[in-house]
Amino acid sequence: MSLPHLDVYLESYQLALIDDSNPKKGRCIVALEPLSRGSIITTSQPLATVTLQANRNEFCNYCFKKPQAMSPKVMPLQRCTQCRAAYFCNVSCFKNAWLGYHQFVCKASSTSASNKAASSEDPDTLDAEMLERVALNVGRYNQKEKNDRDAFGEEGERQEETVDVTMEAFLSLMGHVEDQPKNVLNRYKRIADGVLKKPYIASLGLSQQQLVEFLCWFQCNNFSIQDNQMFTIGEGTYPVASLFNHSCRPNAVAMFDGALLNIRAIVDIPSGEEVTIAYIDAAHSRTVRQKTLREKYFFNCDCVRCTDNTFFGQIDTMLGEEETDWDRAQRVLDPSNTKDNLRQEIAKQVEGDSWDLLEMCRIYDRKSNCVPKPSKPLTLSTYAHCFVQFFSPYLWSSHNPRLLITSPSLHNYRAQVDRLEDPQPPAARPPVRDTADEILSTSISLALSYPTYPGALIPYRLSTLAAATSYFYDMMADGHWENSVKIGMYIAIQYCFIYPQYHPIMAQHLLMLAKASWNSIVQLELLHHGRALDKLYDNGFRRWIALSKETIQSTFGKQSDQWREVLELEWIFMREQKLK
């Protein structure tokens, strides 16, 4: 298939769409030049978007941005005065939505039965809305004269994504129509027939079969649109972004700026390497990931996480299997079930006397070559404090040595926060390898070398992580900040195994850990009537702030709410340091 506009567009971003050497994968996007970590590899405009009903009064239904409540210059969302169901941030967004689709669906709320149907969040309604909007754009494109279509941009310059680029990408997608179950195809035919009954769709000249194919493409290619806190607020058809293949250990991520999707590098990508994103959360067992990918995307993943001949494959050996829906139902029905005791055991270990945060930090200090006794199972505390010696900051400094600068000026408070008091990797005890891959490989082998007992808590299991994450949020909500720091450290270690260190989920968690650490310091100072706390508390806070900044700027960027939050937290700390 000839894709001249798409090929030129991708080439302007130093990318190429080529046939993959693995015929099962079809096509892939590779880097034509080295791509640096944190850079926006390319952008993707939506062919169509749908806001989830629960969010329609919070986000602009066209640009998907949310007014900043604290800004006096920003107007609140304005509701369409006729249908009273759609919200827009300004006249420009309303006009664009009106020209695109809103003119066809905007009806007086008192007489529109369709608005009542749209109030539900059922899949048929969302799929029908998406299908209508895509059909409108495809139909208009088909009716457009070729000489009225977009011209090619200047060679050598990054180009804007034109309608021709978007449509070429969309019409080249795979929907695996022949692989879809019969009941799914019947459902799609029913939705397509309902959409074709509407005059503005029927006039486009599209057939039921074409609409069914579009629905199949949605299932295999659509994205969940997320706000700046990574909560899902809508669905979108992003043809250019859909060209990127999946990996459970991706080198790029899809990040949203309103309705615009950015593909951002989270590692340095050399020339000639494929650029990949994750279609599903990597914090699932291999069994669950493979099942989801087969059922939704119709392929068997053979990435480095899904094969046993790489150390990444050992991560799934560590994580084990996760709870099924049946397991969760059994726990609800039978509270005495031993699996429900997992959270109780976590609370016991975190809140008990055996986990003294200061004492554990002194024992595992990166200078004493201290590891837990090899004859005893790992506990949450020994696991977290042992592996923080290997991971923080060495996983990050293997990509950015600036993090290991020591002996900051006593008069430069910003430098005190940015710089961590850690030995260089060759001098660290226990020994730390020089590269991130070597650090992970060594740590996986060490974790798996410890004995485990049936029925006992195993720190690196997914079931433990799931229960610990719930406990973490509960501790933060209840203001138990020292416990939040403890369990937050443990979760950070787990994330170091599961995600690349510059992944947005890692960045988000490090920011929460920094907040918990600061609140813990304030809480402890109040309990100690303002007496100076041990320096280790400040050092811990510095660490999480520095790693938050390092990770956030490469994932969310310096224009994000996360960057503003971490700078405010840093400023508060520096102010308190000056006052002391």
Side-chain angles (χ1 to χ4, degrees):
M1 180 183 293
S2 176
L3 306 171
H5 290 85
L6 176 62
D7 289 339
V8 171
Y9 172 77
L10 292 174
E11 188 176 355
S12 75
Y13 282 84
Q14 304 302 320
L15 301 170
L17 180 64
I18 64 172
D19 291 329
D20 196 275
S21 56
N22 182 350
K24 294 180 180 179
K25 294 179 67 173
R27 304 174 299 176
C28 66
I29 289 185
V30 298
L32 297 177
E33 298 289 341
L35 304 172
S36 59
R37 184 190 73 249
S39 64
I40 294 179
I41 297 173
T42 190
T43 61
S44 183
Q45 294 284 356
L47 180 61
T49 58
V50 174
T51 318
L52 296 183
Q53 183 67 29
N55 304 109
R56 290 189 179 180
N57 62 342
E58 297 182 51
F59 296 85
C60 175
N61 294 182
Y62 180 79
C63 73
F64 278 73
K65 293 188 176 180
K66 186 176 185 178
Q68 298 295 324
M70 300 304 292
S71 175
K73 296 182 180 180
V74 178
M75 295 290 291
L77 291 176
Q78 302 297 304
R79 185 166 59 175
C80 176
T81 56
Q82 179 164 295
C83 69
R84 304 184 68 81
Y87 293 77
F88 302 97
C89 58
N90 53 44
V91 174
S92 176
C93 280
F94 174 76
K95 286 182 177 179
N96 286 328
W98 182 266
L99 294 173
Y101 60 87
H102 193 61
Q103 60 179 304
F104 301 107
V105 298
C106 184
K107 298 177 181 178
S109 57
S110 59
T111 61
S112 175
S114 61
N115 280 343
K116 295 179 181 179
S119 64
S120 63
E121 206 71 273
D122 69 280
D124 282 13
T125 300
L126 291 175
D127 284 345
E129 286 187 51
M130 184 71 74
L131 183 59
E132 286 184 36
R133 297 179 188 189
V134 168
L136 281 168
N137 286 322
V138 172
R140 289 166 176 164
Y141 182 78
N142 290 339
Q143 294 169 359
K144 196 175 182 183
E145 295 292 336
K146 287 189 176 181
N147 56 8
D148 289 334
R149 294 184 180 176
D150 302 310
F152 293 99
E154 293 295 327
E155 187 175 352
E157 296 181 358
R158 280 196 166 189
Q159 298 187 11
E160 292 185 2
E161 184 181 338
T162 63
V163 172
D164 276 315
V165 171
T166 306
M167 292 306 306
E168 284 182 2
F170 178 69
L171 296 174
S172 73
L173 296 178
M174 294 181 64
H176 299 276
V177 178
E178 66 282 357
D179 297 321
Q180 298 284 355
K182 186 176 180 179
N183 65 306
V184 171
L185 289 176
N186 288 336
R187 172 176 167 264
Y188 288 170
K189 289 176 182 178
R190 185 176 68 252
I191 294 173
D193 288 339
V195 168
L196 282 171
K197 291 178 181 178
K198 300 183 178 182
Y200 55 90
I201 301 296
S203 65
L204 298 173
L206 297 171
S207 67
Q208 181 210 58
Q209 181 59 33
Q210 286 176 295
L211 296 187
V212 169
E213 288 179 358
F214 293 170
L215 287 165
C216 292
W217 292 351
F218 299 165
Q219 175 174 318
C220 300
N221 296 283
N222 270 13
F223 286 81
S224 295
I225 301 174
Q226 297 178 331
D227 66 5
N228 54 14
Q229 298 298 319
M230 301 179 67
F231 292 109
T232 298
I233 59 173
E235 293 287 325
T237 302
Y238 289 87
V240 171
S242 298
L243 300 172
F244 290 86
N245 286 331
H246 164 84
S247 172
C248 300
R249 191 76 183 186
N251 54 21
V253 291
M255 303 290 290
F256 287 89
D257 180 11
L260 179 68
L261 189 155
N262 296 317
I263 302 294
R264 190 184 289 268
I266 55 175
V267 299
D268 291 331
I269 303 174
S271 177
E273 183 171 309
E274 182 182 3
V275 181
T276 58
I277 60 176
Y279 295 173
I280 57 176
D281 190 354
H284 287 293
S285 68
R286 185 184 299 179
T287 302
V288 171
R289 297 198 312 273
Q290 293 280 13
K291 182 176 184 291
T292 303
L293 293 170
R294 279 196 304 270
E295 292 179 352
K296 182 172 174 58
Y297 302 101
F298 301 98
F299 71 89
N300 292 312
C301 185
D302 59 357
C303 73
V304 292
R305 268 284 300 274
C306 292
T307 53
D308 290 322
N309 59 355
T310 69
F311 72 86
F312 285 114
Q314 292 181 291
I315 293 174
D316 288 308
T317 303
M318 288 181 56
L319 297 178
E321 293 300 328
E322 56 191 286
E323 278 191 326
T324 64
D325 292 338
W326 175 254
D327 291 330
R328 285 186 281 272
Q330 285 293 97
R331 284 198 295 105
V332 173
L333 295 172
D334 182 11
S336 64
N337 192 305
T338 55
K339 288 192 175 182
D340 198 43
N341 295 331
L342 185 58
R343 182 184 167 100
Q344 297 176 21
E345 178 60 26
I346 289 172
K348 179 181 176 182
Q349 291 196 24
V350 172
E351 300 168 22
D353 295 334
S354 61
W355 194 341
D356 185 309
L357 200 57
L358 280 179
E359 184 61 25
M360 294 295 283
C361 287
R362 292 190 181 102
I363 293 172
Y364 298 95
D365 66 352
R366 299 174 178 80
K367 301 173 185 177
S368 304
N369 205 26
C370 185
V371 294
K373 292 181 179 180
S375 60
K376 292 186 176 181
L378 293 168
T379 63
L380 288 177
S381 60
T382 57
Y383 178 75
H385 287 271
C386 172
F387 287 97
V388 80
Q389 298 176 105
F390 294 87
F391 290 149
S392 171
Y394 301 110
L395 266 179
W396 287 265
S397 65
S398 62
H399 291 269
N400 186 357
R402 178 188 62 82
L403 285 170
L404 283 172
I405 298 174
T406 56
S407 303
S409 165
L410 295 177
H411 302 290
N412 188 337
Y413 293 99
R414 182 172 293 276
Q416 284 188 348
V417 175
D418 284 344
R419 300 173 184 178
L420 306 179
E421 298 176 355
D422 291 288
Q424 298 294 318
R429 296 292 179 271
V432 178
R433 303 299 184 263
D434 294 331
T435 69
D437 286 359
E438 291 173 330
I439 292 170
L440 280 172
S441 178
T442 301
S443 301
I444 292 168
S445 298
L446 178 60
L448 292 174
S449 70
Y450 283 87
T452 59
Y453 297 118
L457 181 148
I458 303 175
Y460 46 75
R461 292 293 191 223
L462 278 174
S463 53
T464 307
L465 175 61
T469 302
S470 172
Y471 178 80
F472 175 65
Y473 285 108
D474 286 348
M475 288 295 99
M476 293 188 70
D478 293 340
H480 298 309
W481 296 113
E482 188 168 0
N483 290 340
S484 300
V485 173
K486 293 176 183 178
I487 201 66
M489 282 179 57
Y490 157 76
I491 294 172
I493 297 304
Q494 282 294 83
Y495 283 176
C496 286
F497 285 115
I498 294 171
Y499 301 106
Q501 59 268 39
Y502 288 92
H503 194 281
I505 290 180
M506 176 69 80
Q508 195 87 309
H509 180 71
L510 287 170
L511 177 57
M512 287 192 290
L513 186 50
K515 292 177 180 178
S517 182
W518 172 248
N519 286 327
S520 177
I521 290 173
V522 173
Q523 196 172 64
L524 287 169
E525 284 182 339
L526 290 174
L527 291 174
H528 289 80
H529 304 290
R531 295 199 303 273
L533 299 177
D534 193 291
K535 186 180 178 182
L536 285 173
Y537 285 108
D538 283 352
N539 288 346
F541 176 76
R542 288 191 183 98
R543 181 178 313 282
W544 308 127
I545 280 288
L547 296 184
S548 293
K549 291 176 65 179
E550 174 71 10
T551 313
I552 288 170
Q553 66 181 331
S554 291
T555 52
F556 294 97
K558 291 188 175 182
Q559 304 302 317
S560 64
D561 289 345
Q562 287 82 353
W563 184 255
R564 175 184 55 78
E565 288 180 45
V566 76
L567 289 186
E568 288 178 355
L569 199 57
E570 179 188 60
W571 179 83
I572 292 171
F573 173 75
M574 291 189 296
R575 184 192 63 184
E576 293 301 314
Q577 290 290 302
K578 289 180 181 179
L579 293 175
K580 291 178 181 178

